[in-house]
Each structure stands twice: as C-alpha cells, then as structure tokens.
Amino acid sequence: MLWFILIIIVLPVIFAVLFYNKLIKLRTRTNEAWSDIKVQLKRRYDLIPNLIETVKGYARFEKKVLTEVTNARTALMSAKTPVEGAKAENMLAGALKTIFAVAENYPQLKASDNFGKLQEEFATTENKISYARQFYNDSVMVFNTAIAQIPGNIVAAIFRFKEKEYFELENEADKKPVKA
C-alpha cells in the first residue's frame, strides 16, 4: 500500500518537474531566437545611416523618403514584441524599397563602389534576418505546441506559461529581396 501511494504521489511530481524543465528549455530557445533576430535587425539598423549619407551625396531625395526611413529605423529598434517588430519591419522594408527604387534613376549612384557595397551588405543582412525569423518561428511553433498538448497544457497552466507570438510580415509573397 505504501508503494502504491508513493507511486501515485512521486511519479506525477517527477513528471511535472521533467516537463517544466522541458518548457523552460523551449522558452529559453525561443527567447534566444528572438534575440538573434534583434541582432540582425540592429545590423541593418546600423547600415541605414551609411546608406542615407551615400544616397544624399548623389541624389536629391524628397525629405519624405529620408524621414520615412529614419522613422521606420527608430520604430524597429524600439520594438519589444514580435508583433511590434513585424509592423516596424514592414514600414522599413517599404522605405528601403523606395530608396533603392529611386537610386535606379541615378547612374552615378548605382556605379558608386560605396553604394554597391551597401546594397550587398543589405542583401546579406536581409538573408540573415530571414533565416533568423524562420528559426524563431520554428522555435515558437515547438514551444506553443508543447504548452497546448496534454499533459503539457496542465504544467503550462500551473506555471503560467503563455504562448509566444510569431514574427510574421505582411504581404510575405510580395516582399522582394534587396538587389545586390
């Protein structure tokens, strides 16, 4: 009888501890993946002033375009959640497309080594952001699945684990990469 009681009490406690540790590991992995996205966004953020200065030297842009890029850049770096980040990312992507599209009208700018290197850096960074976003979203899927399935949902409810948000961009199919 004593063994039976021990098994009924001890086994669920051991199971809960093991599953709690699994959820901690998955949450930490998801947080790390979000941090990786922020690192790549910061890298792009740091490239923007160089791009603006290079473009200013060759083309007389409307202040509106430069203001849009600056505002989007600020919004992106102040984003705290994936939803805020995605909204700012969409804003910035549109502004950068405008700059690169307008730059097409300036042959001297397109021929500039500095502009070419910046375009290449942007293309590389965009690829890294895409990979980091994919890893983050995969991590979120695994974490959210673990806290939604039985018996994980019981452990998640007891310890107040909440679903993570995906980092999704608007019009993903319409988004074109920066040309190198």
Side-chain angles (χ1 to χ4, degrees), residues 2 33 47 50 52 76 86 91 99 106 153-154 161 174:
L2 181 61
L47 289 171
N50 294 337
I52 290 173
L76 186 61
M91 232 171 76
I99 281 186
Y106 295 89
N153 61 348
I154 297 167
F161 284 91
D174 297 338

Side-chain angles (χ1 to χ4, degrees), residues 44-179:
R44 184 175 58 188
Y45 174 90
D46 291 341
L47 289 171
I48 291 172
N50 294 337
L51 176 67
I52 290 173
E53 287 305 312
T54 300
V55 169
K56 272 185 187 178
Y58 287 91
R60 301 244 186 269
F61 274 108
E62 298 174 24
K63 275 190 169 182
K64 180 184 170 204
V65 174
L66 298 177
T67 302
E68 283 177 15
V69 171
T70 303
N71 290 342
R73 177 180 183 251
T74 302
L76 186 61
M77 287 317 293
S78 64
K80 302 228 183 310
T81 67
V83 171
E84 290 174 5
K87 188 183 293 186
E89 169 66 23
N90 289 323
M91 232 171 76
L92 183 60
L96 288 174
K97 279 183 195 176
T98 303
I99 281 186
F100 286 115
V102 171
E104 293 289 321
N105 297 326
Y106 295 89
Q108 289 177 332
L109 176 59
K110 282 176 54 176
S112 162
D113 284 341
N114 196 23
F115 185 73
K117 287 177 186 173
L118 283 170
Q119 274 188 305
E120 201 172 296
E121 281 289 321
F122 270 98
T124 300
T125 301
E126 291 299 324
N127 287 336
K128 289 180 179 182
I129 290 169
S130 178
Y131 292 130
R133 188 171 56 83
Q134 182 180 356
F135 178 68
Y136 171 78
N137 284 338
D138 288 345
S139 297
V140 167
M141 184 211 41
V142 171
F143 177 78
N144 287 348
T145 301
I147 66 170
Q149 293 178 332
I150 295 173
N153 61 348
I154 297 167
V155 175
I158 292 169
F159 294 105
R160 296 187 176 129
F161 284 91
K162 302 287 183 211
E163 278 193 355
K164 297 282 188 177
E165 300 169 321
Y166 288 96
F167 187 65
E168 297 178 314
L169 303 177
E170 293 175 8
N171 302 323
E172 189 65 29
D174 297 338
K175 189 171 180 185
K176 294 177 184 156
V178 176
K179 293 180 184 176

Side-chain angles (χ1 to χ4, degrees), residues 35-50:
S35 178
D36 291 345
I37 289 174
K38 290 193 76 150
V39 166
Q40 295 307 321
L41 294 177
K42 171 87 169 82
R43 180 174 185 227
R44 184 175 58 188
Y45 174 90
D46 291 341
L47 289 171
I48 291 172
N50 294 337

